[in-house]
Amino acid sequence: MTSDADRMLPSREPVMLLDPDGRPTVAARAGLPASEELLRGLAGMVVARRFNEQASALVRQGRLAVYPSSYGQEACQVAAAQVLTGEDWLFPTYRDTAAAVARGVDPVEVLGLLKGDWHSGYDPYERHVAPLTTPLATQLPHAVGVAHAARLRGERTVVLAMCGDGGTSEGDFHEALNFAAVFRAPVVFFVQNNQYAISVPLARQSAAPSLAHKGVGYGIPGEHVDGNDLAALLDVLSGAVGRARAGEGPQLVEGRTYRMQAHTNADDATRYRADDEVAAWAAKDPLVRLEAYLRTEGVLDDARAADLTEAAEQVARRTRDGLNQDVEPDPDDLFRFVYSQPTPQLVEQLAVVRDEISRDEQSRDEQSREETR
Amino acid sequence: MTTTAVEHATLSTAQAINRALHDAMAEDPTVLVLGEDVGPLGGVFRVTDGLTAEFGEDRCFDTPLAEAGIAGFAVGLAMNGMRPVIEMQFDAFAYPAFEQVVSHIAKMRNRTRGRVALPLVVRIPYAGGIGGVEHHCDSSESYYAHTPGLHVVAPSNPADAYTLLREAIASPDPVIFLEPKKLYWAKGEVVLGRGGEPGIGTAVVRRQGTDATLIAYGPTVPVAIEAAEVAARDGRSLQVVDLRSIVPFDDAGVCAAVESTGRAVVVAEAAGFASVSSEIAARVSERCFHSLSAPVRRVTGFDIPYPPPKLEHFQLPSVDRILDAVDELQWEEA
Ligand SMILES: Cc1ncc(C[n+]2csc(CCOP(=O)(O)OP(=O)(O)O)c2C)c(N)n1
Ligand SMILES: [Mg+2]
């Protein structure tokens, strides 16, 4: 019994394979992910960072209502997508737009929720990415259900379910981990501990030795990892995904990272945290360290780096162009998707809206006729 | 209309629900039944009796004791090809699941522009009249009926319990299926199979009458019928309409009934304030005004927390209260 519990406990320190300067750590002697994987990861992170910057700019230009940026968390965003196969599922939070993009969802569609045209812009079944979820941790039990359904059919699907440090305090986090453990569902719970839930620091969320320690209480192995070290994330997450796929049940992975920017553009982070704290984390940037390592290894040179930048630029351009297009939302849609068939009441209400619109148009027509007279 | 011979059975409401679950599971391997104690025990009301034995642990199973978890887990199952039927053990113990019901079960289809449907059923033993202690007798229908995206169904007899549950399980939309606990043991003739009785969204006239219309659903339907029988002895002919489905609401059926009599009383167990009964009264007043000879009256529970067993008879709409309300419908003195 004791040994079982011991195996479920996380390492003493978060797993780190590349230090902040990009040098392999002692732990890396056991092996680093293949260079192509790391290069793919870097490419993804360059896109993710550019996407974050672009989306923030679009808020300033009034094209997006709001944007919760994952700037600084790009290693977590990219690793979450990179360790999954096409058949697997990703369950993101509102902050995980870059992860959805990394999984191949169209960047314009990903931003649908934040643009305000509709609540969710993409088809979840296309890339097996659940809708971005705003009620904290409520997507986690869904992830367990999707995984369980797949297992009942004998499929080898794994579900990676994301949440934040704040989300781990919600009841749904507890219920989801417990369900997953009891049903041995193939789910990897991936907590991005970015140290804050809006303004509230981690110490006010939990007194646990680490968030990864929460696993053992459910009978779930927990591990924590340097969330700004893509190599370590790929290593730990793909191990967890592999074990889940092999039928060993759920896992909990905590990525220690930092929300470099305010919660959203509407937040003022200077009210609750000090500049030197932010500066200390800036020195641990996930892109800088991986790029340094890959250059030292000779896998990355200036020409290749320029290619990555150009590819990211294309994603930014596509995002910009898409969001700069004004799509007139169709008021009929208000009633179209509530039920598979609208109720008689919704049919009546749709008629009210249509009537309002046509009367508006009529009076506008009359007005313009009057003006031309 | 099928031409095959119709199969009948005399069943209690609980047995009819059990049979509906059984028949749906036999027909469709994606139908799963899950909840607290629904496995080997067969549920605290024995509604899921025998299902695990017949269909195996993968099809009918106990979950951890966590209602939000059950509802959220069912969302995932439904997203991924299953048709879960979840049981909330009692009305008031469904509240932990409320967020999942309101924010996800009700909204997923709309959120995803119809791409993600959630064909799931939330079965809730509900309402009072069984001498239950606190938290075992709530009439919680208004919370669900107020939430766009849910269908809300309440059978009043074994036949409807079977038919409506079969319809609910087959529906591509999520259905809140309210099972009046006090009717679990009431027996009746049940038509088995699908497609016989009217489906979800259709009210039926349970008793013909010409003087006034009693509008009821779920546990108050038998009370309304009894009131109509008593009234008939006094020479007053009361019609009884059974809504069967609160959402979708059968405006056309209810209005036609009320217009035929010109008087209406709504009978519901739930507290009357901001309730399904107030909605019905408002709709009937708005839509049938010119046919009404008197304002629509309501007989409902008081606006109090559900009383303890020894006081609950004060809360429940009774035959006398219904007849008192009927008396006040501005009859012209003969
Ligand atoms: C159930 C619920 N309560 C409150 C909120 C409002 N809210 C949005 S984000 C947030 C903080 C979440 O922090 P965390 O889980 O650490 O994720 P992060 O934003 O840091 O990525 C809060 C309180 C919410 N979305 N859902
Ligand atoms: Mg956080």
Side-chain angles (χ1 to χ4, degrees):
Chain A
M1 282 319 280
T2 327
S3 67
D4 264 6
D6 284 347
R7 270 193 295 107
M8 289 176 192
L9 288 173
S11 333
R12 197 162 266 286
E13 293 296 324
V15 178
M16 186 202 285
L17 298 181
L18 294 176
D19 75 12
D21 298 321
R23 285 183 303 253
T25 61
V26 177
R29 285 186 201 146
L32 275 161
S35 298
E36 312 84 75
E37 277 297 299
L38 293 175
L39 190 60
R40 218 180 115 210
L42 181 64
M45 288 202 292
V46 173
V47 169
R49 169 122 337 152
R50 187 68 190 88
F51 178 74
N52 275 324
E53 289 168 346
Q54 181 60 73
S56 294
L58 286 162
V59 175
R60 292 191 293 273
Q61 293 155 18
R63 286 286 161 183
L64 281 178
V66 66
Y67 184 66
S69 180
S70 61
Y71 192 106
Q73 299 174 217
E74 287 89 350
C76 292
Q77 295 287 301
V78 169
Q82 199 168 328
V83 296
L84 300 178
T85 68
E87 277 312 297
D88 293 341
W89 273 87
L90 181 76
F91 275 73
T93 73
Y94 48 85
R95 196 179 297 287
D96 302 318
T97 44
V101 171
R103 195 154 160 77
V105 183
D106 179 79
V108 179
E109 292 184 0
V110 168
L111 294 175
L113 165 77
L114 307 164
K115 187 182 174 206
D117 293 346
W118 202 257
H119 310 300
S120 180
Y122 54 92
D123 181 349
Y125 291 114
E126 215 167 84
R127 301 278 170 173
H128 282 192
V129 177
L132 304 170
T133 305
T134 47
L136 295 168
T138 55
Q139 75 280 12
L140 303 179
H142 307 172
V144 183
V146 164
H148 188 69
R151 228 165 56 102
L152 286 177
R153 284 195 299 268
E155 297 162 0
R156 287 166 52 79
T157 311
V158 173
V159 180
L160 191 142
M162 303 175 81
C163 83
D165 46 300
T168 66
S169 301
E170 291 281 1
D172 278 359
F173 174 84
H174 156 71
E175 296 190 21
L177 265 72
N178 195 42
F179 268 65
V182 166
F183 291 112
R184 283 182 79 78
V187 183
V188 175
F189 296 97
F190 180 33
V191 178
Q192 284 174 93
N193 172 3
N194 63 7
Q195 315 299 329
Y196 287 92
I198 308 185
S199 68
V200 180
L202 181 65
R204 197 39 77 89
Q205 299 300 340
S206 176
S210 79
L211 297 178
H213 277 84
K214 293 195 169 202
V216 66
Y218 302 100
I220 294 180
E223 183 57 288
H224 46 187
V225 47
D226 184 323
N228 287 6
D229 176 3
L230 185 92
L233 283 163
L234 288 180
D235 189 55
V236 170
L237 285 173
S238 63
V241 167
R243 283 188 297 277
R245 204 183 303 287
E248 290 180 39
Q251 328 260 318
L252 171 63
V253 177
E254 172 193 0
R256 295 274 183 92
T257 182
Y258 194 76
R259 199 194 71 212
M260 293 301 297
Q261 298 180 344
H263 172 65
T264 66
N265 50 289
D267 173 42
D268 175 7
T270 62
R271 292 176 70 100
Y272 52 83
R273 68 186 190 186
D275 290 346
D276 52 355
E277 181 185 296
V278 181
W281 277 94
K284 301 181 199 168
D285 189 273
L287 278 80
V288 171
R289 87 168 73 171
L290 186 60
E291 185 170 340
Y293 170 74
L294 291 174
R295 280 185 185 271
T296 312
E297 289 296 297
V299 179
L300 185 74
D301 56 17
D302 286 348
R304 257 199 143 154
D307 289 347
L308 300 189
T309 309
E310 176 47 33
E313 209 44 59
Q314 276 179 26
V315 174
R317 206 173 305 132
R318 150 116 195 86
T319 308
R320 233 176 10 246
D321 291 350
L323 283 157
N324 281 331
Q325 247 155 41
D326 280 315
V327 189
E328 198 58 52
D330 180 359
D332 279 22
D333 285 357
L334 293 169
F335 304 95
R336 190 170 276 153
F337 309 115
V338 184
Y339 299 99
S340 56
Q341 300 288 328
T343 59
Q345 290 73 27
L346 291 189
V347 172
E348 287 178 9
Q349 291 164 24
L350 169 61
V352 171
V353 170
R354 282 187 180 161
D355 182 52
E356 278 175 8
I357 292 170
S358 77
R359 277 187 297 165
D360 270 2
E361 280 167 0
Q362 244 169 3
S363 70
R364 238 179 290 133
D365 285 353
E366 275 162 29
Q367 218 171 347
S368 67
R369 242 176 285 139
E370 216 132 283
E371 278 161 15
T372 49
R373 226 180 277 151
Chain B
M1 278 279 129
T2 53
T3 48
T4 48
V6 188
E7 214 189 320
H8 291 257
T10 304
L11 301 172
S12 70
T13 306
Q15 288 167 335
I17 296 168
N18 178 273
R19 186 66 190 263
L21 292 169
H22 173 278
D23 292 358
M25 290 174 88
E27 227 170 70
D28 180 352
T30 67
V31 175
L32 307 177
V33 172
L34 52 145
E36 295 159 8
D37 302 293
V38 301
L41 177 69
V44 293
F45 293 103
R46 303 295 181 267
V47 166
T48 57
D49 191 29
L51 297 178
T52 302
E54 177 153 356
F55 296 101
E57 291 222 320
D58 281 353
R59 300 284 309 281
C60 175
F61 53 93
D62 293 329
T63 64
L65 219 169
E67 293 76 14
I70 295 168
F73 184 65
V75 168
L77 293 170
M79 279 178 81
N80 200 3
M82 300 297 173
R83 297 187 105 83
V85 182
I86 63 177
E87 177 175 305
M88 296 283 127
Q89 203 157 64
F90 282 89
D91 32 57
F93 303 139
Y95 300 146
F98 198 63
E99 185 188 24
Q100 286 290 345
V101 171
V102 169
S103 293
H104 293 298
I105 293 178
K107 290 181 180 168
M108 189 66 86
R109 172 186 285 277
N110 188 63
R111 173 183 305 142
T112 60
R113 305 180 66 80
R115 289 158 176 148
V116 181
L118 295 179
L120 64 85
V121 180
V122 183
R123 290 184 38 241
I124 307 178
Y126 104 117
I130 58 158
V133 296
E134 197 188 9
H135 308 301
H136 293 72
C137 296
D138 278 16
S139 286
S140 46
E141 65 269 30
S142 302
Y143 304 129
Y144 304 108
H146 189 67
T147 304
L150 303 173
H151 284 172
V152 183
V153 168
S156 69
N157 60 64
D160 262 3
Y162 180 90
T163 305
L164 293 173
L165 185 54
R166 291 299 307 271
E167 292 292 317
I169 295 171
S171 169
D173 296 307
V175 180
I176 305 294
F177 194 82
L178 301 169
E179 301 172 2
K181 287 188 291 278
K182 75 169 186 198
L183 303 183
Y184 268 147
W185 301 277
K187 293 223 171 202
E189 191 76 358
V190 176
V191 182
L192 303 173
R194 279 201 60 208
E197 290 259 328
I200 294 172
T202 309
V204 301
V205 175
R206 287 281 171 226
R207 192 179 199 285
Q208 301 295 340
T210 51
D211 294 338
T213 303
L214 304 179
I215 304 167
Y217 55 91
T220 54
V221 173
V223 190
I225 291 171
E226 199 188 328
E229 280 159 7
V230 174
R233 276 179 243 138
D234 297 340
R236 199 164 262 166
S237 166
L238 301 183
Q239 180 192 46
V240 177
V241 172
D242 179 354
L243 292 183
R244 303 167 78 244
S245 125
I246 299 169
V247 183
F249 186 79
D250 187 358
D251 275 313
V254 170
C255 279
V258 173
E259 281 167 0
S260 76
T261 64
R263 290 180 169 85
V265 176
V266 186
V267 188
E269 259 186 53
F273 190 81
S275 66
V276 169
S277 65
S278 43
E279 177 64 26
I280 298 169
R283 301 187 83 79
V284 169
S285 302
E286 282 170 356
R287 284 161 194 255
C288 314
F289 183 75
H290 295 292
S291 312
L292 288 175
S293 307
V296 178
R297 299 204 58 101
R298 295 186 292 148
V299 177
T300 70
F302 297 117
D303 299 326
I304 56 174
Y306 196 83
K310 289 184 180 163
L311 290 167
E312 77 174 331
H313 58 282
F314 286 110
Q315 178 73 351
L316 299 170
S318 62
V319 168
D320 283 349
R321 262 187 214 157
I322 294 170
L323 295 178
D324 285 348
V326 169
D327 280 345
E328 284 168 41
L329 292 174
Q330 305 190 4
W331 304 94
E332 278 143 44
E333 291 309 320

